[in-house]
Amino acid sequence: MLLIRRFEEKAGQLYGLGLIGGFCHLYIGQEAVAVGLQSALDGDKDKVITGYRDHGHMLAYGLDPKVIMAELTGRAAGIAQGKGGSMHMFSVEKGFYGGHGIVGAQVPLGAGLAFAQKYNDDGGVTLAYFGDGAANQGQVYEAFNMAELWKLPIIFVIENNQYAMGTSVNRSSAEDQLYRRGESFRIPGLQVNGMDVLEVRGAATVALDWVRAGKGPILLELKTYRYRGHSMSDPAKYRSREEVQSVREKSDPIEGVKKDLEAAGISEDEMKAIDKEIKAIIGEAADFAESSPEPDPDELYTDVLVEQY
Amino acid sequence: MPIELKMPALSPTMEEGTLAKWLVKEGDEVSAGDIMAEIETDKATMEFEAVDEGTIAKILVPEGTDEVKVGTVIAMLAEEGEDAADIEASPQTSKDEPAESQPDDPPPAKTAAANTIAKEDSKPASLRVDPDVPEGTEMAKLTVREALRDAMAEEMRADERVFVMGEEVAEYQGAYKVTQGLLEEFGGRRVIDTPITEYGFAGIGTGAAMAGLRPIVEFMTFNFAMQAIDHIINSAGKTNYMSGGQMRCPIVFRGPNGAASRVGAQHSQNYAPWYAQIPGLVVIAPYSAADAKGLLKSAIRSMDPVVFLENELLYGHSFEVPVLDDYSIPIGSARRVREGADVSIVTYSIGVGIALEAAEKLAGEGIEADIIDLRTLRPLDKAAVLESLKRTNRMVVVEEGWATCSIASEIAAICMEEGFDDLDAPVMRVTNEDVPMPYAANLEKLALVNSDKVVGAAKAVCYR
Ligand SMILES: Cc1ncc(C[n+]2csc(CCOP(=O)(O)OP(=O)(O)O)c2C)c(N)n1
Ligand SMILES: [Mg+2]
């Protein structure tokens, strides 16, 4: 979680310096969600798909911070050779299917991944993450229906950070208890404290058991919060600083774990050492991302189609 | 080592900003997350947060300074253990000496397209305004963003049936601030925030239009209208015809279209050719603020469904707009933005800026370009295209989009079919490269159309 936090802070800085362009959506505040859920997955057969707020998911999945940061700066060494950028990153090798810029699109796509898992009978499960805002897209419900109808092995994960850009859940959702959104499709839902990594991990285990037992999809609503603006260009005028500050003080996922570790007898020094190590990793990733070369101009035309005609 | 605090880039298209206010003073201690300053971009006022902790040693750019370039050192921060008083303004703080403090690769602040938006001043004075505007009309400098807002506000004042809906149009004041102030003036009944459900609200808007209202549906960008394209084409575009003229659909679908800056393949696409293919739709894509205003007003008044394609990179650009009580421009007429006898350049939207820049370069080599801004893409002003061809006998079409099945292809076909005898050279299309938009700064620049490519094509058709 600390790695994600420090990575995102660094990304914010690099954006400010003009080294990262376009849209850049930070995951700060939501770290426990990806870390808690992904820690319960089977890396060999499970698959993950999410939206544009994807840096944290990739780090939680064990991808190298260097190649993620290099993608953010648009360099050849980036995970998508600099062609995708912040919102569009993929690692098929690791079962990470993106990184999608169109709100809601990853939900039916995720159901498709699960369809293939069931079709191949490989025992894998797909985790499809989407936001509270995305939860209002029609295609989400079309996917719910088919996923339950065909008992696809998928966990629908709503990361409810309470805002979709400037619109709060209450201003956009007739049913704001999002874990109930699967009810009319007979998909069970759980509401989970997404600021507590152990609670998230627990919910992941319950959900995975359900799906792996062949009972079809399950819906998790993770209540969480993003501290930063929606993207780097959001002035976040729709909420007060006090609101943000109070979440930070009361339920920061990293501070929470720190307390647990203290209680378990981990010393301040040991934690400082972790902090230092992470700072070094991030520093190295940033240096790499700043200094590695841009893609070769010839890359402009590569990977448009697979075959030659 | 003291840390240099630099003017941050706060949005994909920001190149400079105003340092509106310092919230800290020299000697103050800050920790990560503290707000140090307020910075105004063209879209919004943003807070500038500290990422490191330390003491503010020097403030180098005073508050109230305009046009501070991204990357300028604005203050120095002393780290723990350093004495703030010892820190001098570092030598490389001057704007024209970026050397050491800058990364090796200069930040890709601008895209090729942004770079090539010609300064309005470079246009000949006689061509700045629409010929229909009476001589001596007072002019005001407005951004495209303001012009669009004014058009909506004026039409909403004039007609109670007009309302705006879309994502973030009300309380957030528009994702790109185009609807700024409308909620305040017209209230929540007529300025409506929707959930993120493009298919749903495009359908609701279309139904409301069928029932006699005059909806303006804003798409945050036209990339997201892909979710709604069924209602735009199948519901809005075909109703009048299928009902034998009984059921009208007076709706405007508007929002930014085309490449912005560094937002990658899913967010950078020109949909003009998609919509322009559909009989039953009107498609408009203006360049200047005056055209944006005049044409949007006409679009709102039209009894037909209109797809109104704006361009994000143009939103912040200022143009002269006639100060008239009711300035509207007829749909379906192109405009000559520059006169020349040697080669015609036909274009629209951001392509006009690229064409103007190319024309300057061509003029330096003795080639005078006749530039036609199509403004409306359906119905297309064929007569204007053919008339220009008659004058110059050579044509280049400039389009920020792909060449295949494009507006440029359509213009070429028209010239073949109806202007063949006037052609002294093949019509050339100058467009983006035929690839999804890459993210990397260097590749994006290569992918986009630019004025040098236009100059090359213009010279080729002039056999020079
Ligand atoms: C179809 C579509 N519509 C609109 C957008 C613009 N947009 C990008 S993110 C976003 C908000 C999404 O909020 P939410 O689903 O809650 O996810 P969060 O950003 O909070 O993680 C919007 C409106 C888009 N990318 N795609
Ligand atoms: Mg959200």
Side-chain angles (χ1 to χ4, degrees), chain A residues 9 12-13 15-23 71-75 81-88 99-105 133-134 136-139 142 164-167 171-173 227-228 230-238 241 248 290-302 304, chain B residues 6-13 32-35 43-47 49-52 70-71 102-109 167-168 170-172 175-177 193-199 220-221 223-224 227 261-267 312 433-444 446-447:
Chain A
E9 285 167 356
Q13 274 172 284
Y15 192 94
L17 295 175
L19 284 160
I20 296 175
F23 293 129
E71 187 61 36
L72 298 186
T73 53
R75 305 306 165 99
Q81 276 100 55
K83 286 172 160 181
S86 162
M87 298 188 286
H88 318 110
H100 295 268
I102 300 299
V103 167
N136 292 317
Q137 283 283 29
Q139 57 180 317
E142 299 179 23
M165 288 187 67
T167 306
R171 292 211 301 118
S172 64
S173 300
Y227 297 172
R228 297 293 185 94
H230 165 72
S231 68
M232 290 303 298
S233 50
D234 172 18
K237 289 273 157 68
Y238 43 83
R241 281 202 74 75
R248 272 191 136 141
E290 282 179 50
S291 59
S292 70
E294 290 190 311
D296 191 275
D298 290 343
E299 290 294 330
L300 186 59
Y301 305 96
T302 59
V304 178
Chain B
K6 292 181 187 162
M7 185 71 170
L10 296 169
S11 81
T13 47
D34 288 351
I35 305 164
K43 282 201 292 194
T45 306
M46 304 277 294
E47 290 168 344
E49 286 184 14
V51 280
D52 300 291
V70 167
Q102 296 281 347
D104 294 343
D105 268 298
E167 291 158 23
E168 311 289 357
E171 296 199 4
Y172 199 81
Y176 295 97
K177 298 289 173 281
D193 277 329
T194 64
I196 309 170
T197 122
E198 287 81 3
Y199 192 26
M220 195 175 283
T221 76
N223 302 289
F224 315 142
Q227 309 249 356
S261 172
R262 304 290 309 281
V263 291
Q266 291 184 328
H267 285 67
E312 189 197 329
E433 295 302 307
D434 197 21
V435 297
M437 190 64 72
Y439 167 74
N442 65 329
L443 297 185
E444 185 187 62
L446 289 172

Side-chain angles (χ1 to χ4, degrees), chain A residues 30 52-53 131-134 159-165 169 226:
Chain A
Q30 302 179 216
Y52 43 83
R53 198 179 297 286
D132 46 283
E159 291 200 67
N160 180 359
N161 61 10
Q162 304 176 41
Y163 291 91
M165 288 187 67
V169 174
R226 74 167 148 73

Side-chain angles (χ1 to χ4, degrees), chain A residues 11-267:
Chain A
Q13 274 172 284
L14 296 186
Y15 192 94
L17 295 175
L19 284 160
I20 296 175
F23 293 129
C24 183
H25 309 83
L26 303 182
Y27 200 57
I28 297 178
Q30 302 179 216
E31 297 91 346
V33 176
V35 171
L37 288 175
Q38 263 144 255
S39 69
L41 294 182
D42 179 336
D44 292 332
K45 53 185 184 186
D46 294 337
K47 294 179 165 40
V48 171
I49 189 165
T50 185
Y52 43 83
R53 198 179 297 286
D54 56 354
H55 320 160
H57 297 84
M58 307 196 75
L59 291 167
Y61 223 35
L63 285 151
D64 182 356
K66 281 206 291 220
V67 297
I68 306 176
M69 199 67 97
E71 187 61 36
L72 298 186
T73 53
R75 305 306 165 99
I79 196 156
Q81 276 100 55
K83 286 172 160 181
S86 162
M87 298 188 286
H88 318 110
M89 297 203 257
F90 310 82
S91 170
V92 173
E93 188 197 338
K94 293 261 185 185
F96 185 85
Y97 285 78
H100 295 268
I102 300 299
V103 167
Q106 72 272 30
V107 183
L109 296 174
L113 297 172
F115 181 93
Q117 286 168 319
K118 175 153 187 177
Y119 194 90
N120 296 329
D121 199 16
D122 64 10
V125 172
T126 294
L127 225 58
Y129 289 90
F130 53 107
D132 46 283
N136 292 317
Q137 283 283 29
Q139 57 180 317
V140 169
Y141 298 93
E142 299 179 23
F144 277 11
N145 187 42
M146 286 180 274
E148 177 64 29
L149 192 63
W150 298 334
K151 297 277 185 248
L152 301 182
I154 182 165
I155 304 176
F156 294 110
V157 183
I158 303 183
E159 291 200 67
N160 180 359
N161 61 10
Q162 304 176 41
Y163 291 91
M165 288 187 67
T167 306
S168 66
V169 174
N170 303 333
R171 292 211 301 118
S172 64
S173 300
E175 171 56 275
D176 63 0
Q177 296 305 304
L178 302 178
Y179 73 98
R180 301 182 58 183
R181 288 285 185 96
E183 273 174 9
S184 56
F185 305 94
R186 304 186 168 211
I187 298 177
L190 295 175
Q191 196 169 49
V192 184
N193 176 6
M195 303 302 268
D196 179 338
V197 70
L198 296 179
E199 193 176 324
V200 175
R201 169 67 191 235
T205 312
V206 172
L208 281 165
D209 288 349
W210 174 275
V211 177
R212 288 208 212 278
K215 295 182 184 163
I218 189 168
L219 175 61
L220 299 180
E221 178 194 0
L222 289 112
K223 300 274 275 189
T224 181
Y225 200 79
R226 74 167 148 73
Y227 297 172
R228 297 293 185 94
H230 165 72
S231 68
M232 290 303 298
S233 50
D234 172 18
K237 289 273 157 68
Y238 43 83
R239 61 183 189 189
S240 66
R241 281 202 74 75
E242 289 70 45
E243 179 182 315
V244 183
Q245 212 47 41
S246 117
V247 178
R248 272 191 136 141
E249 276 158 22
K250 292 202 194 97
S251 42
D252 185 75
I254 296 175
E255 289 302 318
V257 171
K258 212 169 153 189
K259 284 205 191 88
D260 290 346
L261 291 175
E262 268 163 21
I266 308 286
S267 73

